[in-house]
């Protein structure tokens, strides 16, 4: 009989323990402080849904993080962006808990991961310990809260996932105690005509509708006159107790004359579908106004699995002479709700000219690959890069091209290729592709160089150019001076920066031996902890070399004393 591997047996056991109802009262809180949320599950973020909850850490780092249950650590990752320092713990009941943006790990885990970092001579590492190699108990210290990775402030990013499918689920489903007695808040209401023949209040385009609070606490929108297929959208948020953050709502339901047309919630979703958030919001409005209108209807290309009920894709078919009562019901996880009644009358208004369709010389057929030549550059869109067909605006320029505006979302990466044959080989070394922001400031785009062609892969429309970086990164000591005695210092810190293409790699040695310096790009600092005990000589020579993304290099050599 063939021996069954430990990993297969492990997955089999997970399958046995998989359950439809979420276990409540099984997991402990990850911290011994009141759970106050700065971010909720499913919250609308840039190109993705928030896959966990953000727990406030009293605006500071270093709060102890405990395992929510017995389990084994299955993944440890240290990265500059994303979750920064993060731990994954598999629990016997088929769930995995995730703890992100950590300052540091517990002493035993820190020792484990540091050995790997020194073996690989790399700050950024990702390891998958064997099952059972790093066991933890419920309530055991595993790490300390921090602000690493893409975090914008100290907090704990916390998730609970299925260990089999890796789908994240709302952590509040497991009985996490979070105070919330506040109803969701609606800021704006919109009605959309969804076909060329549809109109709303005399308009052929998205129309904002005013509303007022009623004596019973519900809201009533101004009368809407419309004809044809229409849809409802809103700008709103939820606010939990003891926090001023504008959080995402849990569920949205649209009913018409008592019949549910659409109902979706944020119980769970898969990482593979999260970018479809750009079909749930009005992306064009977001690109121009930096505010997300959340739709209650389903747009073309929307493959989200969050819908519990759906009739006619949530679109309301309005016929002349008939009246409709549309009701928008928005809830948070605690069940607090906002009710918006929207009276709609089917009536043909006296209209001006229909909205003019803006056309260009180039048209995108979403389901087919599209290739365009922009003289000194080419752009290639694979099939299904976009959700819908549209006229794309392409502008040529000297070493600069504009690919529409960031008002249309791209679901897949497309490529931009520049011809650099007019530049010498020496000049080419200092060139890179940059994306220009609204103030025409360049930011480095990963540039693949092959012969006389430079290519970047991106999902952001906008303006791209060839930029030149001739200046090496800067390096300076931060918390000590040359030949200073550092007997009572716990760490030493160096500040690095690059003015254009950005830092690519760095290396540090102490007395000729490689040392681990933790890079925090948000603060442009490299930090070495003296606990590593490599500074074993009275006079220590520190050498730091930093290279930017086009190969410009700078080296700092300095010394200090320590007993």
């Amino acid at each position: 009989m063939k021996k069954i591997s430990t990993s297969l047996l492990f997955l089999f056991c997970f399958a046995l323990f998989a359950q439809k109802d979420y276990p409540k009262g099984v997991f402990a809180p990850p911290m011994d402080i009141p759970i106050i949320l700065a971010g909720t599950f499913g919250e609308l973020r840039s190109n993705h849904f928030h896959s966990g909850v953000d727990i406030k850490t009293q605006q500071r780092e270093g709060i102890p993080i405990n395992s929510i249950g017995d389990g084994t650590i299955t993944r440890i990752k240290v990265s500059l962006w994303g979750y920064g320092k993060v731990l994954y713990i598999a629990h016997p009941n088929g769930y995995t808990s995730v703890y992100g943006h950590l300052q540091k790990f517990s002493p035993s885990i820190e020792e484990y991961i540091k050995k790997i970092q020194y073996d690989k001579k790399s700050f950024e590492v990702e390891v998958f310990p064997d099952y059972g190699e790093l066991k933890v108990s419920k309530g055991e210290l595993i790490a300390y809260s921090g602000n690493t990775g893409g975090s914008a402030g100290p907090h704990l990013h916390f998730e609970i996932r299925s260990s089999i499918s890796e789908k994240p689920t709302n952590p509040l489903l497991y009985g996490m105690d979070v105070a919330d007695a506040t109803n969701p808040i609606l800021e704006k209401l919109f009605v959309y005509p969804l076909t060329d023949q549809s109109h709303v209040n005399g308009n052929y385009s998205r129309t904002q509708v005013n509303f007022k609070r009623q004596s019973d606490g519900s809201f009533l929108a101004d009368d809407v006159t419309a004809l044809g297929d229409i849809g409802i959208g809103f700008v709103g948020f939820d606010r939990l107790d003891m926090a001023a953050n504008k959080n995402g709502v849990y569920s949205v339901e649209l009913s018409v004359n008592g019949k549910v047309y659409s109902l979706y919630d944020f119980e769970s979703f898969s990482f593979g579908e999260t970018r479809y958030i750009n079909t749930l919001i009005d992306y064009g409005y977001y690109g121009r106004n930096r505010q997300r209108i959340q739709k209650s209807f389903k747009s073309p290309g929307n493959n989200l699995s969050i819908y519990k009920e759906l009739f006619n894709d949530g679109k309301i078919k309005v016929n002349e002479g008939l009246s409709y009562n549309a009701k928008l019901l928005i809830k948070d996880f605690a069940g607090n709700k906002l009710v918006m009644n929207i009276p709609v009358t089917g009536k043909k208004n006296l209209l001006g000219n229909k909205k003019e369709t803006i056309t260009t010389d180039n048209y995108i057929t979403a389901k087919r690959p599209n290739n365009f030549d922009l003289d000194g550059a080419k752009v290639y869109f694979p099939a299904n890069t976009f959700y819908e067909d549209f006229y794309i605006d392409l502008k040529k320029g000297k070493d600069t091209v504009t690919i529409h505006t960031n008002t249309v979302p791209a679901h897949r990466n497309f490529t931009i290729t520049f011809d650099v044959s007019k530049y010498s080989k020496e000049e080419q070394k200092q060139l890179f592709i940059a994306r220009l922001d609204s103030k025409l400031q360049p930011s480095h785009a990963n540039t693949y160089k092959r012969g006389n062609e430079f290519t970047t892969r991106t999902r952001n429309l906008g303006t791209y150019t060839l930029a030149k970086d001739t200046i090496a990164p800067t390096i300076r000591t931060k918390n000590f001076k040359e030949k200073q005695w550092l007997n009572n210092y716990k760490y030493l810190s160096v500040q690095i920066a690059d003015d254009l293409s950005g830092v690519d790699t760095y290396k540090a040695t102490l007395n000729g031996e490689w040392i681990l310096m933790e890079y925090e790009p948000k603060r442009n600092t490299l930090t070495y902890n003296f606990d590593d005990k490599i500074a074993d000589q009275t006079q220590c020579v520190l050498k730091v070399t930093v290279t930017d993304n086009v190969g410009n290099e700078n080296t700092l050599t300095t010394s200090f004393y320590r007993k």
Side-chain angles (χ1 to χ4, degrees), residues 342-554:
I342 310 163
V344 180
T345 302
K347 182 180 179 181
K348 187 172 183 178
N349 289 342
L350 295 174
L351 302 165
N353 295 327
K354 288 189 176 183
K355 183 181 178 181
E356 183 180 356
T357 301
I358 298 176
T359 61
T360 67
D361 293 335
N362 301 295
Y363 189 74
I364 291 286
T365 303
K367 291 185 178 181
R368 297 207 315 254
N370 296 266
N371 199 12
F372 300 98
D373 191 335
L374 305 178
D375 289 343
K378 295 179 181 179
V379 58
Y380 171 70
F381 301 104
N384 300 309
T385 297
F386 301 102
Y387 303 108
E388 300 181 66
D389 301 347
F390 70 103
Y391 285 97
I392 189 168
D393 188 17
L394 301 172
K395 294 178 182 177
K396 308 171 185 179
K398 184 180 180 181
D399 291 342
T400 301
V401 294
T402 298
I403 304 167
H404 208 73
T405 60
N406 195 30
T407 55
V408 175
H411 190 75
R412 300 180 61 185
N413 279 311
F414 59 92
T415 59
I416 307 167
T417 301
F418 283 88
D419 180 356
V420 296
S421 58
K422 64 184 178 182
Y423 294 97
S424 69
K425 296 301 180 184
E426 286 302 309
E427 287 178 305
Q428 288 181 19
K429 290 178 182 179
Q430 297 174 321
L431 291 175
F432 66 96
I433 300 175
R435 184 168 184 258
L436 301 181
D437 63 17
S438 58
K439 296 180 181 179
L440 301 182
Q441 294 300 307
S443 60
H444 176 264
N446 287 334
T447 305
Y448 305 92
K449 299 182 178 183
R450 181 177 295 177
N452 288 322
E453 289 188 339
F454 285 9
T455 299
T456 189
R457 300 175 73 244
T458 181
R459 288 189 282 199
N460 295 309
L461 300 179
T463 300
Y464 290 82
T465 189
L466 286 174
K468 191 174 186 179
D469 186 356
T470 61
I471 301 174
T474 59
I475 315 171
R476 65 177 181 85
T477 60
K478 187 175 180 182
N479 69 333
F480 69 100
K481 297 178 181 179
E482 172 80 14
K483 296 184 178 180
Q484 183 179 345
W485 283 90
L486 304 180
N487 288 347
N488 298 320
Y489 278 54
K490 293 182 178 180
Y491 66 92
L492 60 82
S493 185
V494 172
Q495 191 156 41
I496 65 174
D498 189 74
D499 71 323
L500 190 54
S501 64
V503 172
D504 181 29
T505 62
Y506 69 92
K507 178 184 177 182
T509 60
L510 196 57
N511 299 329
E513 187 174 352
W514 187 91
I515 59 170
L516 173 66
M517 294 201 82
E518 300 201 1
Y519 181 27
E520 175 47 83
K522 295 193 294 288
R523 294 194 291 266
N524 296 321
T525 57
L526 298 175
T527 303
Y528 167 72
N529 192 319
F530 282 117
D531 287 345
D532 291 358
K533 302 187 186 306
I534 293 175
D536 55 358
Q537 300 178 25
T538 301
Q539 182 174 357
C540 299
V541 178
L542 174 69
K543 184 177 180 180
V544 180
T545 300
V546 182
T547 307
D548 66 19
N549 278 293
V550 297
N552 297 313
E553 184 179 281
N554 191 13

Side-chain angles (χ1 to χ4, degrees), residues 27-284:
F27 293 130
M31 291 186 287
D32 295 327
I33 60 173
I35 303 298
I36 302 173
L37 300 186
T40 51
F41 183 83
E43 202 164 82
L44 309 182
R45 301 287 178 88
S46 178
N47 298 309
H48 70 283
F49 296 109
H50 191 222
S51 56
V53 293
D54 288 341
I55 304 175
K56 287 177 175 285
T57 55
Q58 302 172 344
Q59 298 181 331
R60 60 191 175 97
E61 301 181 40
I63 292 179
I65 306 295
N66 308 315
S67 175
I68 64 170
D70 295 344
T72 180
I73 295 173
T74 55
R75 184 182 178 190
I76 309 172
K77 187 175 183 180
V78 178
S79 59
L80 297 178
W81 303 107
Y83 293 165
K85 295 183 179 182
V86 57
L87 277 176
Y88 298 74
I89 299 176
H91 305 283
N93 58 359
Y95 296 99
T96 292
S97 54
V98 183
Y99 313 77
H101 305 309
L102 303 172
Q103 179 192 59
K104 60 182 179 179
F105 305 112
S106 67
S108 60
I109 302 172
E110 191 78 11
E111 182 181 1
Y112 177 91
I113 199 68
K114 248 183 190 183
K115 182 180 184 306
I116 294 170
Q117 289 173 309
Y118 271 94
D119 287 345
K120 294 187 175 182
K121 292 183 169 52
S122 174
F123 170 59
E124 290 192 283
V125 293
E126 182 175 17
V127 294
F128 300 86
D130 291 337
Y131 180 70
E133 182 181 0
L134 297 176
K135 291 182 179 179
V136 294
S137 301
K138 184 176 182 178
E140 180 181 337
L141 174 71
I142 55 172
Y144 296 88
S145 68
N147 186 32
T148 56
S151 171
H155 72 278
L156 172 67
H157 174 85
F158 176 72
E159 297 180 18
I160 297 181
R161 302 179 181 181
S162 162
S163 296
I164 300 173
S165 68
E166 295 191 354
K167 286 182 67 173
T169 50
N170 196 321
L172 302 186
L173 291 163
Y174 302 85
M176 182 181 287
D177 186 19
V178 178
D180 183 7
T182 307
N183 292 335
I185 297 170
L186 196 71
E187 294 183 311
K188 296 178 182 178
L189 178 68
F190 296 89
V191 181
Y192 287 75
L194 299 177
T195 68
D196 291 339
Q197 292 73 39
S198 305
H199 58 76
V200 174
N201 291 352
N203 299 315
Y204 285 103
S205 57
R206 176 189 57 239
T207 300
Q208 186 171 349
V209 177
N210 294 325
F211 53 87
K212 292 181 180 178
R213 186 182 182 92
Q214 305 300 293
S215 59
D216 63 356
S218 66
F219 291 84
L220 179 64
D222 290 353
D223 291 344
V224 174
T225 58
L227 211 59
D229 289 351
I230 65 171
I232 307 295
F234 69 93
V235 176
F237 61 91
D238 186 40
R239 184 163 278 158
L240 288 82
D241 296 358
M242 298 179 286
N245 304 74
K246 292 184 176 182
N247 301 123
V249 301
Y250 179 69
S251 69
V252 177
E253 177 184 308
L254 174 70
S255 60
V256 182
N257 296 339
K259 178 180 177 61
V260 175
Y261 271 50
S262 71
L263 168 61
Y264 60 85
D265 65 29
F266 292 103
E267 172 190 352
S268 180
F269 60 85
S270 70
F271 287 108
E273 66 180 310
T274 188
R275 197 171 177 88
Y276 286 107
I277 184 178
N278 292 327
T279 64
L280 183 70
I281 66 170
D282 184 334
Y283 193 89

